[in-house]
């Protein structure tokens, strides 16, 4: 066991987190240090979400940069609040540490990255639970926020006739994950485990390295989500992949979705990785997940309003919502159509 | 992998949880099924707490009764809200399932126990996260509640001159844990791994079996906690053990605590187990933890008010708070005094 972690102990670690967080998050009448956090009430409904990252499932520690892991733990939850159009406020962290496998320095780097994201997104860490883990590192984060004045944007508000829109590009995070799994690391030389064909120049390498960042240190679309409240009729973040997430929206809204394959904005890294490892870039874009872009429905003529509301981010119309049985169909440029199958399930893969 | 769990899949399991929970928890404008739960605001501050149970650290699945595990996951969090004098309202569950090791039936029993506790304590399960775990079962529960009108009872309100009080008895859960570790199981015959001396009769066996229940299915002191708000100056629940928890209260309140060894209400099972395995019952009572009784300070003359507020539960005066450096001292009947050391730390044990 790491001697520094052992010397510090569980309560020493909590004291250190508390000192790093500072005495008060805004609106926290009582933060870390009691049985429960005491949080000021406020106008409008509260939002609450939890996302858990497990070592060996969601991440591998040998991918490096523990700060990114802390960042990501908060960021993926911020993405859920963003998808409601809300404002994140307070976080609680349940942290399971395998003391035989991990040192104090690494734990503090994880917490430092979490604090960095908390500062960036205006979140106060107000409580948590710290314990030993018998296996890998466990990070379970609960995020509380405030719904927008116009009301939270649910998954269930999509209507026939709406268009389906997407912020940014997809498939980049999946490309980054596959590159990580094949040995590419941020800041390290090109690995022997990954082919390096003639066509792959400096530009392609930079795209792949940018994709590593997308996967390890995702940027939730918080400002965009807030700006879209009042325009979007239904919204969610692309965490499981468009195939899966569009299915959620379809079922919750009770509409059929038809997506145009040619309109899906594929991240350049997905094209590079696809060519490198003989994978279909469109499949990475639709099945990959963890892009944390926002997928939403809205009035078909909302284009100009969207451009004004989200000026610094491409928003692409990728399909339509129609009356009919819930489900997602994909239409190709040649007019062919097929159901968009879901590729990933935690208990099936 | 369990074929039923595989066939159901991650989203099938979520759908099943959602169906079991029902469409709405009271006050939940939107529960399971969106990016975040949407919860009605209300008067007064909000309470938020999280407690995580990890297989191999907090429990072993071979101890049996997965329903109890679900119950306990919620109950230990209710205990934290109770220790603030509050009312629990909403829960979010992050659930990590090792599909190679656990079947659908067992997962559903865990969730059934959680729902049983939720119904018992008036809590609505409004959200969560479900994923595969590469190692053991992971249960991380966040509980939100409402602070009492008189204000949340913090750990920091203890004052010199206050008495120190404790609800119920302590050491029973630790006795139950040791008996479990030595092979005693609810509803099963006495195991060969545990001695069975002449003096241990039917009465002693029943005490030990009751202690198993205390450990596996703790009963948080919710009504007592609410009744003590307005009387207690500082309060917490005994989860880590009196030695540790009294230390927390002492440090947060900035008072010295002196506890009387002879006044500590030791659970009868701790005496039986102590005799059986040559362990000091007082040590089990002070170091054991997981009793989920309430430890609090209050005016020295509060005895009659306490008896009226908590009529169906013994409340014992076990010490005093004094001016001086934070710390806990234990005084024995012969007048000897020593610092009460903390026996357990997650990263040290």
């Amino acid at each position: 066991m790491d001697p520094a972690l052992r010397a510090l102990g569980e309560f020493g670690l909590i004291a250190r987190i508390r000192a790093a967080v500072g005495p008060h998050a805004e609106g926290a009448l009582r933060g870390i240090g009691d049985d429960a956090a005491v949080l000021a009430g406020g106008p409008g409904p509260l939002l609450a979400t939890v996302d858990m990252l497990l070592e060996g499932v969601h991440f591998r520690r040998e991918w490096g940069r523990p700060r990114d892991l802390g960042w990501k733990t908060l960021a993926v939850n911020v993405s859920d609040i963003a998808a409601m159009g809300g404002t994140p406020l307070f976080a609680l962290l349940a942290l399971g540490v395998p003391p035989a496998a991990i040192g104090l320095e690494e734990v503090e780097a994880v917490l430092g990255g979490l604090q960095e994201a908390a500062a960036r997104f205006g979140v106060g860490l107000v409580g948590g639970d710290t314990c030993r883990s018998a296996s890998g590192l466990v990070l379970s984060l609960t995020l509380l926020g405030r719904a927008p004045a116009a009301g939270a944007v649910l998954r269930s508000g999509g209507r026939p006739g709406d268009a389906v829109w997407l912020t940014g590009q997809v498939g980049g995070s999946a490309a980054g994950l596959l590159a990580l799994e094949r040995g590419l690391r941020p800041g390290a030389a090109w690995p022997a485990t990954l082919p390096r064909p003639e066509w792959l120049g400096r530009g392609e390498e930079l795209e792949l390295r940018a994709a590593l960042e997308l996967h390890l240190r995702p940027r939730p679309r918080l400002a965009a989500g807030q700006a879209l409240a009042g325009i979007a009729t239904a919204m969610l973040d692309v965490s499981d992949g468009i195939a899966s997430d569009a299915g959620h929206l379809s079922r919750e809204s009770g509409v059929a979705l038809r997506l145009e394959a040619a309109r899906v904005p594929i991240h350049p890294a997905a094209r590079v990785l696809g060519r490198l490892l003989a994978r279909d870039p469109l499949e990475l874009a639709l099945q990959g997940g963890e892009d944390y872009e926002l997928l939403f429905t809205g009035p078909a003529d909302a284009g100009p309003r969207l451009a004004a509301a989200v000026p610094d981010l491409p928003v692409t119309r990728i399909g339509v919502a129609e009356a009919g049985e819930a489900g997602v169909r994909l239409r190709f440029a040649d007019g062919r159509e097929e159901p968009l199958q879901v590729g990933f399930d935690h208990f099936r893969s």
Side-chain angles (χ1 to χ4, degrees), chain A:
Chain A
M1 189 200 287
D2 178 62
L5 193 57
R6 186 188 169 88
L8 191 62
E10 177 188 356
F11 298 110
L13 180 61
I14 294 170
R16 201 174 274 214
I17 295 172
R18 190 174 171 182
V21 166
H24 284 295
E26 200 181 314
L29 309 174
R30 177 74 175 166
I32 298 171
D34 223 299
D35 295 282
V38 186
L39 309 171
L46 194 78
L47 303 173
T49 186
V50 60
D51 257 320
M52 183 158 69
L53 300 191
L54 298 178
E55 183 175 347
V57 176
H58 300 92
F59 65 91
R60 297 185 184 283
R61 276 179 32 241
E62 64 263 28
W63 291 345
R65 303 209 313 199
R67 277 191 77 84
D68 290 350
L69 192 55
W71 170 283
K72 184 169 182 172
T73 301
L74 189 72
V76 300
N77 281 285
V78 169
S79 182
D80 281 320
I81 298 292
M84 309 296 280
T87 302
L89 293 172
F90 304 114
L92 296 99
L93 174 70
L95 173 67
V97 177
I102 192 169
L104 177 59
E105 206 177 324
E106 193 172 345
V107 173
E108 293 215 297
V110 171
L111 294 168
L114 197 146
Q115 269 302 105
E116 187 189 343
R120 168 68 184 76
F121 299 113
V123 170
L125 182 65
V126 296
D129 186 21
T130 305
C131 62
R132 181 170 61 84
S133 162
S135 47
L137 190 62
V138 177
L139 293 154
S140 176
L141 193 123
T142 303
L143 189 60
L144 306 177
R146 191 74 58 200
V153 187
L154 305 181
R155 295 177 174 183
S156 53
R159 294 291 168 259
D162 279 355
V164 180
W165 309 82
L166 182 72
T167 63
Q169 299 173 314
V170 284
S173 181
L177 174 60
L178 287 170
L180 281 165
E181 288 178 347
R182 294 293 290 259
L184 190 63
R185 296 284 178 274
W190 193 268
T193 42
L194 200 57
R196 181 77 198 231
E198 279 287 315
W199 60 262
L200 199 147
R202 182 75 187 140
E204 287 76 16
E205 178 174 345
L206 286 178
E207 289 294 356
L208 280 187
R209 291 195 181 274
L212 299 183
E213 301 297 325
L214 279 178
H215 187 80
L216 293 170
R217 200 179 168 84
R219 301 284 168 152
R221 299 300 192 188
L222 181 57
Q226 292 169 340
L228 290 169
I231 304 177
T233 52
M235 182 158 64
L236 41 52
D237 68 325
V238 181
S239 54
D240 296 320
I242 285 184
S244 180
D245 292 317
H248 296 320
L249 192 153
S250 160
R251 280 188 299 280
E252 297 296 331
S253 291
V255 293
L257 300 185
R258 174 178 287 112
L259 306 185
E260 306 280 340
R263 286 182 162 273
V264 174
I266 301 176
H267 192 280
R271 299 195 188 279
V272 174
L273 195 283
R275 189 171 172 197
L276 188 64
L277 298 180
R279 298 287 295 260
D280 179 2
L282 182 65
E283 198 204 320
L284 294 177
L286 292 175
Q287 303 286 355
E290 298 210 59
D291 289 303
Y292 302 105
E293 297 295 346
L294 297 171
L295 178 73
F296 61 99
T297 50
D301 61 359
R305 286 169 71 202
L306 293 173
V310 190
D312 49 0
L313 184 65
V315 179
T316 309
R317 183 176 166 159
I318 62 168
V320 292
E322 298 171 336
E325 204 180 334
V328 186
R329 296 183 68 80
L330 186 65
R331 184 156 66 181
F332 294 89
D334 60 8
R336 189 168 42 96
E337 245 187 61
E338 57 187 46
L340 182 53
Q341 306 285 354
V342 174
F344 181 81
D345 185 296
H346 255 288
F347 298 141
R348 288 172 178 158
S349 64

